[in-house]
Amino acid sequence: MIDWHRIDTVFLDMDGTLLDLHFDNHFWLEHVPTRYAQARGLAPEIAKAELLARYRDIEGTLEWYCVDYWSRELGLDIALLKQEVEHLIAVHPHVLDFLEALERRGKRRVLVTNAHQKALALKLSRTRLGGHFERIICSHDLRVAKEAPGFWSLVHAIEPFDVERTLFVDDSTRVLQAARDFGFRWLMAVVEPDSRAPRGEVADFPAIAHFGDLLPSLHSD
């Protein structure tokens, strides 16, 4: 599946790839609507319908991922609300084994995330992921979402990499397509981003359910 001798750098998404997307799905689809309904005196189903429409309006933009944007728009302290359900933050199976195996093989590990800085800090504080990367790149620092055409040029300017010798793993096919358009040779989709949701189907990219699928080849080469 992957010739590790031809890989120098591994770029990894966070939410849905390294971390269980259940936290984010529960937060945005259940917890925020509940708190919004309480704050506005709305019926829960009305609040949820309103919020889902507002999410769709800016899906895929940097604002969609922005804690500060939604705090202003909804009149809620989104960072504080995340702390209310932070116990749901969980690392996917085999992730730490995979990151440690990459280190043993001398691969450069770079976290590349659309998560807002406040969400990123919370998740790194709740997990053991932070010490397993040579670099962490947040799209909010670059002011461009990973889906945007100019994103990877900005990354390349601060983290030079060879598109022929870099693996990028993400659970979003839209993000993976942007990476393919930039010229990435090695791309991998994660098809079970949310442990409590049905497995997705990906036709356009090689795919794994979890990082245990990659460990045998990483250990055997």
Side-chain angles (χ1 to χ4, degrees), residues 149-170:
F151 176 79
W152 288 108
S153 294
L154 294 174
V155 171
H156 195 270
I158 62 172
E159 175 66 31
F161 63 94
D162 183 345
V163 292
E164 292 289 334
R165 299 188 61 83
T166 301
L167 168 66
F168 176 44
V169 187
D170 203 293

Side-chain angles (χ1 to χ4, degrees), residues 20 39 50 158:
D20 194 333
E50 178 185 331
I158 62 172

Side-chain angles (χ1 to χ4, degrees), residues 55-110:
Y55 296 163
R56 287 192 294 269
D57 285 343
I58 63 168
E59 184 175 359
T61 68
L62 196 61
E63 288 78 12
W64 193 46
Y65 301 100
C66 183
V67 168
D68 293 338
Y69 171 84
W70 287 113
S71 293
R72 291 192 304 269
E73 288 293 304
L74 304 181
L76 300 171
D77 187 336
I78 296 298
L80 183 61
L81 294 188
K82 283 181 178 284
Q83 293 177 27
E84 293 179 353
V85 291
E86 65 178 307
H87 60 280
L88 295 177
I89 296 171
V91 180
H92 272 313
H94 310 291
V95 163
L96 294 175
D97 292 337
F98 177 73
L99 292 172
E100 290 167 357
L102 289 177
E103 182 180 26
R104 287 193 295 272
R105 292 291 300 268
K107 310 303 180 185
R108 183 167 175 82
R109 303 159 300 171
V110 181

Side-chain angles (χ1 to χ4, degrees), residues 126-142:
R126 286 284 304 187
T127 68
R128 295 164 51 202
L129 292 181
H132 290 279
F133 298 99
E134 281 64 57
R135 186 164 197 161
I136 296 175
I137 296 174
C138 174
S139 64
H140 293 266
D141 292 329
L142 301 180

Side-chain angles (χ1 to χ4, degrees), residues 193-206:
D194 184 334
S195 64
R196 305 192 193 186
R199 177 174 178 160
E201 296 296 330
V202 175
D204 297 333
F205 299 95

